[in-house]
């Protein structure tokens, strides 16, 4: 664990990320702070200057073990800029940053490797940041639409009222004149029909999509706000959709299987993050002066059937005893979770940072 002293108040809401199980990235005004997981003193924390008008949050995408993409948001124009950060192999290596020659965009999401999805000039596009080749995906983007690039395919999902999820898939390949995509394949998933205890979703829903550790499966993480008495919970569903990529190079279509399955669990109110490899998620909460951590391994949650009752499938993780931490409400902890290396990073409102290692 380490404590970074002297953090200004406007950094207390900063987001935190973990990169390749080795680097911790968190936000200060006008800087992204980078520290190796095994650094022994705050002197080994590097402040990398970013755009001074950027909002406190940032997005992180991993290209390889030492190369990351950073997205920062322009506060006034409400557009995103993209930078490439080079990290070293050792704690004492200072990272470097350069701007990617890409136009500022109103919507941006890193989808895996050197690729990102942007909304620019009235179209949704997939872009390779190294070649700057791009291909148009659609003319509109849904408000809650999420994307992932996996197995030479682009997947997107967004939620619709009544427990419906719309999943789309495109085969992606490259030719001499740039990126190409196949015809869209679409699948509508009805969670309300799959799970009798699916709660009303009029107030709040959140949907994310991740690649699986095995080709042929894509996973969707979907949660719905619900209240039991005075307590807030989230009914959380992990949907596993099989797919097959077929076709010739001119139209390498992706076929989505209708034999999808779902896992379900209750998750309490707090900060919920999906692990870097989507094999589990982590819930952090601040309650009565204590930090509480609960892990939800995906494969430990059994597959649900229509009449399966949703119960809490979480596993409590130990936290340091006797360590003081401050907070104002249940969401006072920003969290990053590397579920491959078993490393959790907790960033408290006070500026205290915990780096916790689990087997």
């Amino acid at each position: 664990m380490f404590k970074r002293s002297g953090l200004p108040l406007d950094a207390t809401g900063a987001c935190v990320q973990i990169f390749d199980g080795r680097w911790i990235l968190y936000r200060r005004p006008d800087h992204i702070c980078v520290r190796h997981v095994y650094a022994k003193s705050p002197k080994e924390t590097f402040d990398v200057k970013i755009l001074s008008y950027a909002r406190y949050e940032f997005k992180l995408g991993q290209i390889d073990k030492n190369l990351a993409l950073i997205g920062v948001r322009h506060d006034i124009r409400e557009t995103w800029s993209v930078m490439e950060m080079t990290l070293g192999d050792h704690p004492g290596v200072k990272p470097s940053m350069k701007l990617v020659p890409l136009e500022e965009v109103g919507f941006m999401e890193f989808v895996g490797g050197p690729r990102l999805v942007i909304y620019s000039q009235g179209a949704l596009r997939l872009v390779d940041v190294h070649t700057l080749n791009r291909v148009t995906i659609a003319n509109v983007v849904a408000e809650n639409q999420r994307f992932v690039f996996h197995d030479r395919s682009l997947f997107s999902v967004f939620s619709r009222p009544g427990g419906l999820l719309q999943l789309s898939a495109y085969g992606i390949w490259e030719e001499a004149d740039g990126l190409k995509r196949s015809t869209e394949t679409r699948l509508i998933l009805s969670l309300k029909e799959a799970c009798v205890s699916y709660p009303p979703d009029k107030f709040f829903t959140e949907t994310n999509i991740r690649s699986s550790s095995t080709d042929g499966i894509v996973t969707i993480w979907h949660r719905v706000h619900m209240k039991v008495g005075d307590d807030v919970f989230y009914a959380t569903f992990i949907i596993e959709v099989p797919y097959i990529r077929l076709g010739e190079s001119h139209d390498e279509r992706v076929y989505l299987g209708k034999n999808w399955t779902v896992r379900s669990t209750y998750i309490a109110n707090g900060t919920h993050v999906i692990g870097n490899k989507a094999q589990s998620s982590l819930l952090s909460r601040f309650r009565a002066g204590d930090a509480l951590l609960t892990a939800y391994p995906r494969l430990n949650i059994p597959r649900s059937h229509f009449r399966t009752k949703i119960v809490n499938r979480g596993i409590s993780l130990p936290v340091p005893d006797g360590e003081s931490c401050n907070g104002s409400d249940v969401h006072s902890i920003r969290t990053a979770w590397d579920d491959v290396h078993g490393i959790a990073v907790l960033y408290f409102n006070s500026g205290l940072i915990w780096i916790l290692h689990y087997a």
Side-chain angles (χ1 to χ4, degrees), residues 284-300:
S284 62
R285 293 179 288 160
F286 184 81
R287 190 173 64 185
D290 294 323
L292 304 177
L293 286 182
T294 308
Y296 295 83
R298 179 172 64 89
L299 297 180
N300 283 11

Side-chain angles (χ1 to χ4, degrees), residues 112-129:
R115 299 173 185 87
L116 66 156
V117 170
I118 65 173
Y119 187 77
S120 174
Q121 300 176 351
L124 189 69
R125 295 182 170 92
L126 176 69
V127 181
D128 187 308
V129 298

